[in-house]
Each structure stands twice: as C-alpha cells, then as structure tokens.
Amino acid sequence: MSTATLNKDSRFEMRLTQEQRSRIDQAAESKGLTSSQWALSNLLDAADRDIREAHIIRLNEDAWNDFVAALDEPMPAKLVNLLESEPIWT
C-alpha cells in the first residue's frame, strides 16, 4: 500500500532556516518528489537505521576478547543449577 493511500492522522512540524528549506526543496526536486515526500522518506530511512543500530553492540578488540573468553569458560555451578531447575511458573 502506498503512502498516498494511507489515512494520515498525525502531523510533524519543524522550523528551518531558509537555506535548509532550499536544500530540502532542491533535493526533493532532483528526485521528482514534493518536499514533504522527500523529507518523510529520508526521516523514515534514518529512523529505521537508528533503530537497527540501537540493537548492535560494538566492542573494541580487548572487550571482544574478554567476551569470547567468558563464553569459553564453563558456566558457574549456580547457573547450571538454575537452568536445570523446574521453572516456578509451570
């Protein structure tokens, strides 16, 4: 379903300098879109990217090596017992 056919019931407004508005208008025109269409498309792309990136953990080499070493260690006995115990919600 295209965005043109969706029921739009919310507004998003922002204040821009004339230079910012001109740049957006120019970019939109280069794509054959209205300024609103161009802005919405780019905002949604950026939102999706930022949401994806929020779920990525980046580690430097030392932190990565510590993480891998922790995974290679045997589980502590308390954790093994917990995993083997009957859940209280069943």
Side-chain angles (χ1 to χ4, degrees), residues 67-84:
F67 175 70
V68 171
L71 291 176
D72 289 339
E73 290 292 318
M75 283 194 286
K78 285 185 175 182
L79 182 55
V80 172
N81 292 337
L82 176 64
L83 291 171
E84 292 175 349

mmCIF file of all heavy atoms in Angstrom, residues 67-84:
data_model
loop_
_atom_site.group_PDB
_atom_site.id
_atom_site.type_symbol
_atom_site.label_atom_id
_atom_site.label_comp_id
_atom_site.label_asym_id
_atom_site.label_seq_id
_atom_site.Cartn_x
_atom_site.Cartn_y
_atom_site.Cartn_z
ATOM 1 N N PHE A 67 34.932 -10.949 26.002
ATOM 2 C CA PHE A 67 33.616 -11.546 25.767
ATOM 3 C C PHE A 67 33.755 -12.993 25.304
ATOM 4 O O PHE A 67 33.104 -13.896 25.831
ATOM 5 C CB PHE A 67 32.861 -10.713 24.730
ATOM 6 C CG PHE A 67 31.545 -11.284 24.308
ATOM 7 C CD1 PHE A 67 30.471 -11.308 25.178
ATOM 8 C CD2 PHE A 67 31.381 -11.788 23.032
ATOM 9 C CE1 PHE A 67 29.249 -11.836 24.789
ATOM 10 C CE2 PHE A 67 30.168 -12.320 22.632
ATOM 11 C CZ PHE A 67 29.096 -12.343 23.514
ATOM 12 N N VAL A 68 34.617 -13.223 24.326
ATOM 13 C CA VAL A 68 34.827 -14.578 23.805
ATOM 14 C C VAL A 68 35.395 -15.487 24.895
ATOM 15 O O VAL A 68 34.975 -16.636 25.036
ATOM 16 C CB VAL A 68 35.744 -14.553 22.566
ATOM 17 C CG1 VAL A 68 36.153 -15.954 22.132
ATOM 18 C CG2 VAL A 68 35.043 -13.823 21.412
ATOM 19 N N ALA A 69 36.312 -14.973 25.699
ATOM 20 C CA ALA A 69 36.880 -15.762 26.794
ATOM 21 C C ALA A 69 35.790 -16.142 27.793
ATOM 22 O O ALA A 69 35.749 -17.279 28.283
ATOM 23 C CB ALA A 69 37.998 -14.984 27.482
ATOM 24 N N ALA A 70 34.888 -15.211 28.090
ATOM 25 C CA ALA A 70 33.792 -15.510 29.022
ATOM 26 C C ALA A 70 32.870 -16.586 28.457
ATOM 27 O O ALA A 70 32.373 -17.444 29.190
ATOM 28 C CB ALA A 70 33.006 -14.236 29.325
ATOM 29 N N LEU A 71 32.637 -16.556 27.156
ATOM 30 C CA LEU A 71 31.798 -17.587 26.535
ATOM 31 C C LEU A 71 32.462 -18.963 26.593
ATOM 32 O O LEU A 71 31.776 -19.989 26.678
ATOM 33 C CB LEU A 71 31.496 -17.230 25.075
ATOM 34 C CG LEU A 71 30.590 -16.029 24.843
ATOM 35 C CD1 LEU A 71 30.466 -15.760 23.343
ATOM 36 C CD2 LEU A 71 29.212 -16.254 25.448
ATOM 37 N N ASP A 72 33.779 -18.986 26.516
ATOM 38 C CA ASP A 72 34.512 -20.257 26.526
ATOM 39 C C ASP A 72 34.653 -20.856 27.919
ATOM 40 O O ASP A 72 34.931 -22.044 28.053
ATOM 41 C CB ASP A 72 35.908 -20.064 25.916
ATOM 42 C CG ASP A 72 35.861 -19.829 24.411
ATOM 43 O OD1 ASP A 72 34.837 -20.199 23.794
ATOM 44 O OD2 ASP A 72 36.832 -19.277 23.871
ATOM 45 N N GLU A 73 34.429 -20.044 28.958
ATOM 46 C CA GLU A 73 34.530 -20.546 30.321
ATOM 47 C C GLU A 73 33.331 -21.433 30.642
ATOM 48 O O GLU A 73 32.231 -21.199 30.155
ATOM 49 C CB GLU A 73 34.557 -19.369 31.307
ATOM 50 C CG GLU A 73 35.814 -18.557 31.267
ATOM 51 C CD GLU A 73 37.013 -19.328 31.785
ATOM 52 O OE1 GLU A 73 36.877 -20.028 32.806
ATOM 53 O OE2 GLU A 73 38.069 -19.228 31.141
ATOM 54 N N PRO A 74 33.532 -22.451 31.492
ATOM 55 C CA PRO A 74 32.376 -23.250 31.915
ATOM 56 C C PRO A 74 31.416 -22.394 32.740
ATOM 57 O O PRO A 74 31.821 -21.435 33.396
ATOM 58 C CB PRO A 74 32.992 -24.354 32.779
ATOM 59 C CG PRO A 74 34.453 -24.137 32.799
ATOM 60 C CD PRO A 74 34.783 -22.899 32.057
ATOM 61 N N MET A 75 30.141 -22.754 32.661
ATOM 62 C CA MET A 75 29.141 -21.999 33.436
ATOM 63 C C MET A 75 29.353 -22.253 34.920
ATOM 64 O O MET A 75 29.663 -23.384 35.320
ATOM 65 C CB MET A 75 27.729 -22.438 33.052
ATOM 66 C CG MET A 75 27.247 -21.875 31.751
ATOM 67 S SD MET A 75 25.468 -22.091 31.531
ATOM 68 C CE MET A 75 25.375 -23.820 31.175
ATOM 69 N N PRO A 76 29.131 -21.229 35.733
ATOM 70 C CA PRO A 76 29.208 -21.426 37.185
ATOM 71 C C PRO A 76 28.142 -22.430 37.631
ATOM 72 O O PRO A 76 27.074 -22.540 37.030
ATOM 73 C CB PRO A 76 28.921 -20.042 37.753
ATOM 74 C CG PRO A 76 29.166 -19.083 36.634
ATOM 75 C CD PRO A 76 28.891 -19.837 35.380
ATOM 76 N N ALA A 77 28.449 -23.159 38.698
ATOM 77 C CA ALA A 77 27.540 -24.195 39.197
ATOM 78 C C ALA A 77 26.161 -23.633 39.514
ATOM 79 O O ALA A 77 25.140 -24.273 39.236
ATOM 80 C CB ALA A 77 28.137 -24.869 40.430
ATOM 81 N N LYS A 78 26.093 -22.422 40.087
ATOM 82 C CA LYS A 78 24.799 -21.832 40.406
ATOM 83 C C LYS A 78 23.943 -21.635 39.155
ATOM 84 O O LYS A 78 22.728 -21.845 39.178
ATOM 85 C CB LYS A 78 24.975 -20.489 41.119
ATOM 86 C CG LYS A 78 25.399 -20.607 42.555
ATOM 87 C CD LYS A 78 25.434 -19.230 43.198
ATOM 88 C CE LYS A 78 25.750 -19.352 44.676
ATOM 89 N NZ LYS A 78 25.740 -18.054 45.351
ATOM 90 N N LEU A 79 24.574 -21.248 38.066
ATOM 91 C CA LEU A 79 23.835 -21.055 36.827
ATOM 92 C C LEU A 79 23.368 -22.389 36.251
ATOM 93 O O LEU A 79 22.237 -22.510 35.785
ATOM 94 C CB LEU A 79 24.680 -20.294 35.806
ATOM 95 C CG LEU A 79 24.013 -19.968 34.475
ATOM 96 C CD1 LEU A 79 22.717 -19.199 34.679
ATOM 97 C CD2 LEU A 79 24.960 -19.181 33.589
ATOM 98 N N VAL A 80 24.211 -23.389 36.316
ATOM 99 C CA VAL A 80 23.826 -24.726 35.847
ATOM 100 C C VAL A 80 22.626 -25.217 36.647
ATOM 101 O O VAL A 80 21.649 -25.729 36.083
ATOM 102 C CB VAL A 80 25.006 -25.714 35.951
ATOM 103 C CG1 VAL A 80 24.563 -27.129 35.654
ATOM 104 C CG2 VAL A 80 26.135 -25.293 35.011
ATOM 105 N N ASN A 81 22.681 -25.068 37.976
ATOM 106 C CA ASN A 81 21.558 -25.487 38.829
ATOM 107 C C ASN A 81 20.287 -24.730 38.482
ATOM 108 O O ASN A 81 19.200 -25.310 38.442
ATOM 109 C CB ASN A 81 21.902 -25.286 40.310
ATOM 110 C CG ASN A 81 22.984 -26.234 40.773
ATOM 111 O OD1 ASN A 81 23.204 -27.295 40.169
ATOM 112 N ND2 ASN A 81 23.670 -25.860 41.835
ATOM 113 N N LEU A 82 20.417 -23.436 38.236
ATOM 114 C CA LEU A 82 19.249 -22.639 37.885
ATOM 115 C C LEU A 82 18.637 -23.114 36.568
ATOM 116 O O LEU A 82 17.416 -23.284 36.456
ATOM 117 C CB LEU A 82 19.637 -21.157 37.774
ATOM 118 C CG LEU A 82 18.535 -20.207 37.306
ATOM 119 C CD1 LEU A 82 17.397 -20.174 38.323
ATOM 120 C CD2 LEU A 82 19.099 -18.822 37.090
ATOM 121 N N LEU A 83 19.463 -23.363 35.583
ATOM 122 C CA LEU A 83 18.964 -23.806 34.284
ATOM 123 C C LEU A 83 18.343 -25.195 34.341
ATOM 124 O O LEU A 83 17.445 -25.508 33.566
ATOM 125 C CB LEU A 83 20.090 -23.781 33.235
ATOM 126 C CG LEU A 83 20.588 -22.383 32.841
ATOM 127 C CD1 LEU A 83 21.822 -22.496 31.974
ATOM 128 C CD2 LEU A 83 19.495 -21.608 32.145
ATOM 129 N N GLU A 84 18.803 -26.006 35.257
ATOM 130 C CA GLU A 84 18.266 -27.360 35.392
ATOM 131 C C GLU A 84 17.049 -27.438 36.312
ATOM 132 O O GLU A 84 16.370 -28.457 36.349
ATOM 133 C CB GLU A 84 19.363 -28.301 35.913
ATOM 134 C CG GLU A 84 20.463 -28.517 34.888
ATOM 135 C CD GLU A 84 21.614 -29.336 35.419
ATOM 136 O OE1 GLU A 84 21.680 -29.577 36.678
ATOM 137 O OE2 GLU A 84 22.470 -29.759 34.631
#
